[in-house]
Amino acid sequence: MMKKINYILAFFILACLVFQGCKKTSTDFKDPYADGRPSLGVLLTPTTPPSPAIGAPGTEVTFQAKGFMKYKDKMVFYFNGEEAEVKNVTETTIVAIVPANGSGGVVSIGIDDQLVIGPVFAVTGNIKFDPSFRATAGTDNSVNSVYSLPDGRNLVLGNFTNYDNKGFILPVNRIARVSENGEYDATFRSGKGASGVLSRAVQIGNRIYIAGGFGGYDQRGSDISNITALFTNGSIDTIQIKTKKKPTLTDTVTRKWFPKFNGGTNEYINRVYNHQGKILATGDFRFYVKRTYDKDNYNFTRDTVILDSTEIRQILKFNLDGSLDKTYRFNVATGKGNAGANGHIDSYMHTEGPLLEKLLIFGNFTTFDGQPAGKILRLKVDGTLDPTFTPGSGANEYIASLTYNIATKKYFITGGFNSYNGTPVPGMALLNEDGTIDKSFIAQRFDTGFATYAQQLSNGLIVVTGSFRKYGGVSRNGFMVLTAKGDLAKGYNATGPFNGYVSDIKETKSADGKMALLLMGRFNRFDLKDVNNIIRVTVE
């Protein structure tokens, strides 16, 4: 089933493996005395904590060390890769000042072409772990999304089988209902849960529709094609169908239970939305599928389900019973859906404001419905191209993520592109609502890697994650916070190396009312601590 995970998610994992290693050690270092180089005879004691062991930029820190007196005029001191001022060197200590751009991590000293590794130092800043978030153990695998329910609770969806260590007795398979502070709700009746990855959920009326790449849910171990309907208590909505065994002198009629939502797709569904009271789904699927229960198969029996399919690519609309809404992006004359994109797509739908229910399509494609498209476009409510969205030639390479902030009325995109409508941009850009580039945001360059996900907050700050190691020449290991102009935001960039990828960020509140961010994805290291795929941090 993992083969059905969408292109971007798979790419994120690959990037993570290549650039970060996806492991719990925060940094890899070369042997300073490899290749026959002579020992320097120095020691920056890695096991003895500095004094103090934590502090803000500008703090004087004393490290236990020996042998550096003869190198004091040529050595360079680093806090997690950022050069620092050395105030004093003795036979047993070194006093260094945390630099303005310093972040938490390993300290080191460079002497000529050799690097001496020291202890870990934690730099304090405006982003801190939220102690009111109760899911401290996280999950055992990726979290793809968190859906806010009308009653204030949340659904956590992904590829995990354990949530906050509550899955040891009975697995918590890919779906969990939790409080707003992350506490597991054992009354949610998901049973065996989903048999494969869950990507998104949406509640319409008194049903919750879950989607992803799965074929069974709880006791209904089959007859699901990547989407189904649940009651609000977590149990699957089913219907009883009469079936008939092979004809004999006395036919045997039996009854079986099947998922009531009779519809789906042949491949992974990445996102689902409430669209005019129906379900709009996007992904890299090619066919809509449904099951027929009341017709004889070729053996003249009714104990085998017949699967029917209709070609409709990447974007389709379900009625609430699972049937295909043929009024949306469907050609009745040909019996097929519209052409869609000639490559991978992802999507974002507006759920508030004047752009309500307009759909952004982005990814890695050059045509859409037979027309040229530069990796990004917007659809009107009826599914046709929105002429008020004018990106020009768009991005010259794939767009990995797109988010929107209702407060600033801006889109933010990341990816492998280096230009947008002819304007040079190093893999990040801020866009106006009409798709034109906002040139007030000037992105600086990454030394390696790229931004895989970013989101502008309501206060204008922009949170960026990815596989990068440096931004604008400053060490930033996979996580950073920028101003609306593209500069590193002062006081927000003290967090140390980040290992993994982020799939989504929800702007929320801590239990004591502070601005907070819920980060989810697949990651195991944040701000010098081991974490498991979902955390909440405060932003002060």
Side-chain angles (χ1 to χ4, degrees):
M1 187 60 69
M2 288 298 294
K3 292 182 179 178
K4 296 183 179 179
I5 295 178
N6 62 73
Y7 172 87
I8 291 298
L9 184 59
F11 193 89
F12 284 179
I13 295 172
L14 179 60
C16 171
L17 292 171
V18 172
F19 295 107
Q20 299 286 1
C22 279
K23 55 188 177 182
K24 292 188 180 295
T25 53
S26 60
T27 312
D28 292 328
F29 298 101
K30 294 181 179 179
D31 180 358
Y33 307 123
D35 304 322
R37 289 177 289 183
S39 171
L40 294 171
V42 297
L43 178 65
L44 181 60
T45 311
T47 57
T48 302
S51 180
I54 184 172
T59 303
E60 291 187 7
V61 188
T62 301
F63 297 87
Q64 299 299 308
K66 66 178 183 179
F68 286 95
M69 281 292 290
K70 59 184 176 181
Y71 300 110
K72 66 178 183 179
D73 294 328
K74 61 189 304 187
M75 71 182 198
V76 181
F77 199 100
Y78 299 100
F79 282 80
N80 194 24
E82 282 302 298
E83 185 174 344
E85 176 187 350
V86 176
K87 189 171 183 180
N88 190 36
V89 180
T90 71
E91 291 292 346
T92 58
T93 63
I94 296 175
V95 179
I97 300 174
V98 181
N101 284 325
S103 58
V106 173
V107 301
S108 59
I109 294 177
I111 301 174
D112 295 329
D113 62 344
Q114 298 190 47
L115 191 68
V116 182
I117 306 304
V120 170
F121 182 84
V123 180
T124 58
N126 295 336
I127 294 180
K128 301 179 175 66
F129 281 96
D130 180 2
S132 67
F133 187 66
R134 302 304 182 191
T136 54
T139 64
D140 64 343
N141 209 326
S142 58
V143 175
N144 291 330
S145 65
V146 172
Y147 178 72
S148 297
L149 296 166
D151 62 7
R153 291 178 290 187
N154 292 320
L155 283 183
V156 182
L157 304 107
N159 195 31
F160 52 86
T161 57
N162 195 353
Y163 177 88
D164 200 29
N165 289 335
K166 301 301 189 296
F168 286 120
I169 298 176
L170 292 174
V172 183
N173 284 327
R174 287 99 186 183
I175 185 169
R177 187 169 66 186
V178 304
S179 73
E180 60 182 352
N181 291 319
E183 295 168 299
Y184 179 69
D185 181 359
T187 68
F188 192 64
R189 296 172 55 188
S190 58
K192 296 179 181 179
S195 62
V197 184
L198 294 181
S199 59
R200 297 294 189 278
V202 62
Q203 182 170 343
I204 303 176
N206 59 357
R207 295 293 187 273
I208 298 170
Y209 301 88
I210 58 172
F214 64 108
Y217 183 89
D218 194 19
Q219 297 300 322
R220 307 276 72 80
S222 61
D223 298 318
I224 294 174
S225 295
N226 308 312
I227 183 171
T228 198
L230 310 180
F231 293 107
T232 55
N233 66 3
S235 61
I236 188 170
D237 187 4
T238 57
I239 187 171
Q240 196 176 57
I241 304 292
K242 292 181 180 180
T243 62
K244 185 172 67 174
K245 295 294 185 180
K246 189 173 182 178
T248 61
L249 292 176
T250 58
D251 292 345
T252 302
V253 176
T254 60
R255 297 175 182 270
K256 290 185 178 181
W257 292 92
F258 295 93
K260 189 173 183 180
F261 187 89
N262 186 6
T265 61
N266 69 312
E267 290 290 345
Y268 190 87
I269 296 175
N270 188 31
R271 300 183 192 270
V272 286
Y273 309 98
N274 182 344
H275 188 262
Q276 297 181 319
K278 299 182 180 181
I279 306 155
L280 194 149
T282 67
D284 284 329
F285 48 82
R286 184 175 176 180
F287 293 98
Y288 162 83
V289 298
K290 68 174 182 178
R291 287 165 172 78
T292 301
Y293 306 111
D294 58 354
K295 291 183 180 179
D296 294 337
N297 65 9
Y298 66 93
N299 285 324
F300 304 103
T301 66
R302 295 181 186 177
D303 59 346
T304 301
V305 175
I306 301 172
L307 194 66
D308 295 322
S309 63
T310 303
E311 186 172 355
I312 183 165
R313 297 171 181 261
Q314 302 171 319
I315 308 165
L316 65 81
K317 195 171 178 181
F318 294 100
N319 295 309
L320 296 186
D321 62 356
S323 60
L324 179 63
D325 181 352
K326 294 184 178 180
T327 67
Y328 185 82
R329 294 188 54 77
F330 189 82
N331 188 323
V332 177
T334 63
K336 297 181 179 181
N338 295 352
N342 65 341
H344 164 75
I345 72 158
D346 201 343
S347 65
Y348 173 91
M349 177 173 280
H350 289 277
T351 57
E352 57 183 332
L355 299 176
L356 180 66
E357 293 189 346
K358 287 191 176 183
L359 185 70
L360 268 293
I361 302 296
F362 62 94
N364 191 23
F365 53 90
T366 57
T367 66
F368 187 86
D369 285 352
Q371 301 298 315
K375 280 78 175 179
I376 185 171
L377 55 93
R378 190 166 68 200
L379 300 181
K380 296 189 296 184
V381 176
D382 64 0
T384 59
L385 287 172
D386 181 358
T388 67
F389 189 78
T390 56
S393 60
N396 68 321
E397 292 293 343
Y398 66 91
I399 298 175
S401 76
L402 178 148
T403 55
Y404 177 80
N405 188 283
I406 187 64
T408 63
K409 294 181 172 55
K410 303 287 184 182
Y411 299 105
F412 198 91
I413 59 173
T414 69
F417 53 89
N418 54 40
S419 73
Y420 184 88
N421 196 24
T423 300
V425 286
M428 295 192 301
L430 188 67
L431 306 182
N432 299 309
E433 275 190 340
D434 63 359
T436 58
I437 193 166
D438 183 342
K439 294 185 179 181
S440 69
F441 177 84
I442 302 175
Q444 299 174 39
R445 296 196 172 275
F446 301 108
D447 65 333
T448 58
F450 58 97
T452 54
Y453 183 90
Q455 182 169 318
Q456 186 172 37
L457 309 179
S458 57
N459 61 8
L461 294 178
I462 301 166
V463 179
V464 184
T465 69
S467 58
F468 48 86
R469 295 293 181 90
K470 286 188 175 184
Y471 176 75
V474 178
S475 294
R476 287 294 170 264
N477 302 113
F479 184 92
M480 63 183 178
V481 180
L482 307 180
T483 69
K485 301 297 183 183
D487 302 316
L488 290 168
K490 292 183 179 179
Y492 292 91
N493 285 281
T495 57
F498 176 84
N499 283 347
Y501 68 86
V502 167
S503 58
D504 201 3
I505 296 175
K506 289 180 72 70
E507 190 172 343
T508 182
K509 296 284 186 183
S510 64
D512 56 356
K514 294 179 180 177
M515 180 180 178
L517 303 176
L518 186 64
L519 278 66
M520 65 208 76
R522 188 170 185 178
F523 49 87
N524 56 36
R525 190 79 173 163
F526 183 84
D527 202 15
L528 307 182
K529 294 183 179 180
D530 292 340
V531 295
N532 293 296
N533 310 310
I534 182 168
I535 59 173
R536 193 167 73 189
V537 297
T538 57
V539 182
E540 299 180 356

